[in-house]
């Protein structure tokens, strides 16, 4: 495997690029906190890889990634010389072994893999059981209103 590019990034090991939610309350706070970090991204050759990894828009990310400052997944500040085509985020796919994973397989024209199919069966069995257990009371309440 090739060397992890994040180790060579100028922000390597600097946690202030992904501040904790306790550190800021407003967009202005975040700008004051992280805006000055943007310059670090300037010489970084990994803008596109950074965005593809962090997926800031999909993840509703707050912090610095790819030469931009993100607030809830929106760009609120950016270096002057960033390129639009760096913004491509690979679509997130639900992990296998989940019901959402099974749906994603179908969305991509695939058959659910065995672990997703299994998860789907278990979930529908669980829902059936939950329905069976639901108190009749509810229906009575509706009937009298
Ligand atoms: S673009 Fe910025 S946040 Fe992303 S790896 Fe480079 S220095 Fe770090
Ligand atoms: Zn699967």
């Amino acid at each position: 495997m090739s060397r992890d590019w994040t180790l060579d990034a100028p922000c390597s090991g600097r946690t202030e690029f992904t501040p904790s939610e306790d550190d800021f309350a407003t967009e202005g706070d975040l700008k004051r906190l992280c805006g000055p970090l943007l310059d670090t991204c300037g010489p970084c050759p990994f803008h596109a890889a950074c965005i593809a990894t962090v997926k800031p828009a999909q993840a509703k990310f707050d912090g610095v990634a790819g030469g931009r400052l993100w607030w809830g997944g929106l760009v609120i500040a950016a270096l002057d010389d960033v390129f639009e085509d760096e913004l491509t985020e690979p679509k997130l796919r639900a992990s296998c072994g989940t019901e959402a994973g099974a749906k994603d397989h179908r969305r991509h024209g695939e058959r659910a893999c065995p672990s997703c199919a299994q998860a789907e069966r278990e979930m529908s069995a669980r829902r059936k059981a939950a329905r069976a257990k639901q108190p009749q009371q509810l229906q009575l309440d509706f009937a009298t209103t």
Side-chain angles (χ1 to χ4, degrees):
M1 231 180 99
S2 61
R3 183 181 157 82
D4 180 358
W5 63 267
T6 61
L7 298 174
D8 297 323
C11 66
S12 179
R14 295 181 57 184
T15 53
E16 66 269 36
F17 280 66
T18 51
S20 123
E21 275 182 27
D22 302 333
D23 295 337
F24 60 92
T26 65
E27 179 179 340
D29 288 349
L30 186 66
K31 262 193 186 154
R32 274 187 294 278
L33 190 67
C34 290
L37 302 173
L38 270 178
D39 283 341
T40 309
C41 295
C44 174
F46 304 119
H47 288 188
C50 179
I51 288 172
T53 304
V54 177
K55 302 185 186 73
Q58 293 175 55
K60 305 212 186 309
F61 175 70
D62 300 317
V64 175
R68 283 101 170 151
L69 175 57
W70 304 80
W71 161 254
L74 299 173
V75 175
I76 55 170
L79 290 172
D80 290 336
D81 51 353
V82 289
F83 303 103
E84 276 297 302
D85 61 6
E86 295 166 347
L87 290 172
T88 318
E89 299 180 18
K91 278 268 164 274
L92 282 180
R93 278 193 67 160
S95 36
C96 279
T98 63
E99 204 180 21
K103 281 206 189 93
D104 260 359
H105 280 299
R106 278 190 216 102
R107 244 198 301 275
H108 288 82
E110 306 156 1
R111 275 165 52 146
C113 73
S115 65
C116 285
Q118 170 75 18
E120 227 178 12
R121 277 193 300 274
E122 281 172 14
M123 278 309 289
S124 91
R126 219 172 290 164
R127 269 197 291 268
K128 222 188 237 166
R131 266 199 304 272
K133 248 196 275 166
Q134 243 164 38
Q136 298 298 309
Q137 189 64 36
L138 264 183
Q139 285 169 13
L140 289 177
D141 285 349
F142 284 129
T144 53
T145 49

